[in-house]
Amino acid sequence: MQEKYKYLIIGGGIAGTTAAETLRKNDNEANIAIISDEPRMYSRIMLSKSNFFLEKIPFDSIWLKEEKWYIDNRIDFIGDTLATKLDTQNKTVKLKDDKILQYEKLLLATGGEAREWPLPGTDKKGICYVRDLSQVKILMDSVRSSKQAIAIGSGFVSFEMCEMMKKAGVEEITLIMREPYYWYPVLDEESGKMIEGAMIKGGIKIIRENEVKEILGDNSSNSSGQERISGVVLKDGTEIPCQTAVIGIGLSCNLDWIKNAGVETNKGILANEYLETNLPDIYTAGDVAEFNDIILGERVQLGNWINAQKQGQVAAFNMLGKREIFRMVSFYNATGFGLSISMSGDPCPKNICNVIKRGSSNLNEAQGFTRIIIDQNNEIVGGTFINRPQDMAPVNKLIESNFKISSHESELANPNFDLKQLIN
Ligand SMILES: Cc1cc2nc3c(=O)[nH]c(=O)nc-3n(C[C@H](O)[C@H](O)[C@H](O)COP(=O)(O)OP(=O)(O)OC[C@H]3O[C@@H](n4cnc5c(N)ncnc54)[C@H](O)[C@@H]3O)c2cc1C
């Protein structure tokens, strides 16, 4: 006989776990299961933070929940198990061991995977991604025996990992990016160069508008027979020796089995503001959800912890039959090389109309640098904040309230003006 769950959750990350927690708090009788292809769930954000990466805290602090939590809350955690097929007619999910589970309500909280580096030879030892715990354990090991490393890509992963590797004692670190400046096109050149300046000051070499054409290998000191990366050759012929390469070129979602079942997808799983998919009783949350953001008035897919957590909660409320809209100005923070970098709302909208700058992008000045992004309706839709974290909360409130900048442009541009004064 097939096991039947009232609430079945695929993916046990922060979105899936928060959903399970919310469901249990509001429905004491229901049977709930989480299916996860990872054996045990952990705090993904800690993977790139110095406490964990540099082993300053006990390894066990990484776990999202203790095993006892699942037992106490009567949540079946089925780990190390991939969901492979969805049958929406019979409301079943097939697992990799051919077991079939029935559901009344299904949550797809399957997150994303690190996009693979599309080059021959990426199976070499020392080529590392930073998406899951098993990958980061390999990276930590590789870093310990590396004098030289490279990082590929110009986003959060490379920024955080360059700093981690420096702190871990790697002597030479080179960042290689295709883009003309860091975080292009999300940031403008001035902000990108500000970040690069801090990284260069921190000892990182930066190579722009270039890419690797060949990966070099070395199996001389390796008993396993697997070649280890020994360097890379760039398109312009430059050769860079390295024993570790960190790849941070974005995220992709494995949607085939979901798409095959008739769930509408784009880069992620399409959902409305209630986090409902196009099919009845199927919901989505977290990094995989491409949802209708009612504040920005567009469909967005985000990759941040608080968003995934809050969406897990809202999706659960809707699975319980309450009608709750997901409404939040998203934000993301990263720190490193003496910088605090935050972004909120939509920092790079298609219909960008005006950008108001506050402060200075000169690293030697203490003001920090904020950009307030305005759309064609004269409303604030996003912001980027480098060493000006104090601006983020008020800007988020202004985004949330569809604030029209009208006569306030000079106040917004004045770094000494307290933005809180504009909030009703
Ligand atoms: C190194 C790193 C650092 C980060 N730092 C920050 C930070 O500082 N701040 C911040 O806001 N965000 C950060 N993030 C992003 C944040 O971690 C994610 O936004 C968040 O974890 C997403 O949670 P989720 O539950 O949606 O997905 P995930 O955590 O990806 O969980 C999805 C789970 O579903 C599983 N799964 C997928 N398909 C299947 C299937 N078919 N069957 C069974 N299981 C499946 C996956 O293996 C995974 O375990 C960071 C991410 C990384 C990788």
Side-chain angles (χ1 to χ4, degrees):
M1 213 181 70
Q2 287 171 358
E3 236 165 309
K4 182 168 180 180
Y5 286 97
K6 184 163 181 188
Y7 303 115
L8 183 61
I9 298 168
I10 314 296
I14 186 65
T17 303
T18 307
E21 193 164 20
T22 310
L23 290 165
R24 174 54 73 226
K25 272 190 193 144
N26 289 275
D27 186 344
N28 193 36
E29 302 306 318
N31 54 354
I32 304 172
I34 297 176
I35 312 298
S36 165
D37 67 340
E38 296 192 76
R40 193 170 169 188
M41 296 317 300
Y42 50 88
S43 163
R44 202 171 295 284
I45 51 176
M46 274 171 70
L47 296 177
S48 59
K49 306 298 177 286
S50 60
N51 277 351
F52 178 76
F53 196 85
L54 302 174
E55 300 176 87
K56 291 182 189 163
I57 52 168
F59 182 86
D60 278 344
S61 20
I62 190 106
W63 305 123
L64 202 52
K65 299 283 185 196
E66 292 301 321
E67 276 169 41
K68 189 175 173 312
W69 180 85
Y70 298 94
I71 297 165
D72 290 350
N73 285 283
R74 290 166 288 122
I75 292 165
D76 290 350
F77 179 81
I78 305 173
D80 230 345
T81 302
L82 192 72
T84 55
K85 196 170 175 199
L86 169 61
D87 176 347
T88 58
Q89 290 294 313
N90 294 307
K91 296 183 99 173
T92 60
V93 171
K94 189 174 173 190
L95 308 182
K96 74 166 182 201
D97 58 6
D98 289 338
K99 199 167 168 185
I100 291 178
L101 303 178
Q102 281 185 282
Y103 64 82
E104 281 180 39
K105 308 263 178 184
L106 178 70
L107 177 66
L108 300 168
T110 47
E113 290 168 8
R115 184 167 294 135
E116 283 185 28
W117 202 22
L119 275 180
T122 48
D123 56 344
K124 288 187 177 51
K125 210 172 157 204
I127 297 178
C128 305
Y129 297 87
V130 198
R131 180 67 195 178
D132 67 39
L133 183 56
S134 59
Q135 293 167 342
V136 170
K137 278 187 190 164
I138 294 170
L139 172 61
M140 287 161 87
D141 202 38
S142 184
V143 162
R144 274 184 217 110
S145 57
S146 296
K147 281 203 157 90
Q148 295 133 325
I150 59 166
I152 305 288
S154 68
F156 277 107
V157 168
S158 294
F159 179 72
E160 292 189 330
M161 291 322 304
C162 280
E163 168 152 89
M164 283 312 101
M165 293 195 289
K166 198 78 204 165
K167 285 186 170 167
V170 179
E171 287 165 19
E172 285 171 36
I173 302 170
T174 308
L175 181 119
I176 302 158
M177 60 185 178
R178 280 186 180 161
E179 296 78 17
Y181 58 84
Y182 213 86
W183 243 306
Y184 170 91
V186 177
L187 292 178
D188 65 341
E189 187 166 359
E190 203 175 345
S191 313
K193 289 273 156 73
M194 191 176 175
I195 295 171
E196 287 175 21
M199 293 177 84
I200 292 166
K201 208 166 146 198
I204 310 298
K205 188 173 172 201
I206 296 184
I207 297 181
R208 297 173 202 93
E209 295 182 274
N210 212 329
E211 58 189 285
V212 173
K213 75 164 186 216
E214 192 186 345
I215 302 169
L216 306 174
D218 170 18
N219 59 6
S220 55
S221 59
N222 196 341
S223 55
S224 70
Q226 189 194 8
E227 267 197 332
R228 182 170 186 175
I229 184 171
S230 62
V232 291
V233 183
L234 305 186
K235 277 207 163 146
D236 65 3
T238 309
E239 201 173 312
I240 304 169
C242 63
Q243 301 79 47
T244 294
V246 175
I247 316 301
I249 52 174
L251 209 66
S252 68
C253 297
N254 180 5
L255 299 172
D256 288 350
W257 68 283
I258 292 167
K259 217 168 13 184
N260 290 343
V263 178
E264 274 176 11
T265 60
N266 179 34
K267 285 186 179 153
I269 298 173
L270 297 185
N272 63 13
E273 58 275 28
Y274 296 96
L275 303 174
E276 296 165 322
T277 67
N278 62 311
L279 296 179
D281 300 326
I282 304 182
Y283 302 76
T284 186
D287 283 10
V288 77
E290 194 174 328
F291 64 99
N292 182 29
D293 185 324
I294 57 158
I295 297 175
L296 297 175
E298 60 191 23
R299 260 218 236 256
V300 295
Q301 186 176 11
L302 302 168
N304 78 67
W305 185 262
I306 303 285
N307 168 72
Q309 189 173 35
K310 180 80 184 146
Q311 285 197 349
Q313 190 188 51
V314 170
F317 282 141
N318 288 312
M319 291 165 84
L320 287 155
K322 306 175 197 278
R323 293 296 282 167
E324 182 153 327
I325 287 179
F326 177 74
R327 193 172 199 284
M328 189 183 100
V329 177
S330 80
F331 60 92
Y332 199 104
N333 302 314
T335 52
F337 299 103
L339 295 183
S340 109
I341 307 171
S342 307
M343 297 182 194
S344 68
D346 188 348
C348 185
K350 278 182 226 100
N351 51 5
I352 193 164
C353 190
N354 185 9
V355 177
I356 298 174
K357 298 177 181 178
R358 285 165 68 78
S360 159
S361 60
N362 185 339
L363 278 173
N364 298 320
E365 291 177 29
Q367 300 185 44
F369 187 50
T370 285
R371 291 163 65 244
I372 300 173
I373 318 292
I374 317 293
D375 73 0
Q376 81 277 25
N377 301 322
N378 253 345
E379 287 175 8
I380 301 178
V381 288
T384 65
F385 315 88
I386 305 181
N387 282 359
R388 278 189 75 87
Q390 71 275 24
D391 284 348
M392 190 168 80
V395 166
N396 286 359
K397 285 254 184 295
L398 297 174
I399 296 173
E400 201 174 353
S401 62
N402 301 111
F403 180 82
K404 291 228 183 276
I405 60 162
S406 39
S407 58
H408 299 288
E409 203 158 334
S410 59
E411 289 165 340
L412 289 164
N414 175 0
N416 300 317
F417 176 78
D418 184 358
L419 294 175
K420 287 196 216 86
Q421 290 184 39
L422 297 176
I423 301 164
N424 291 325

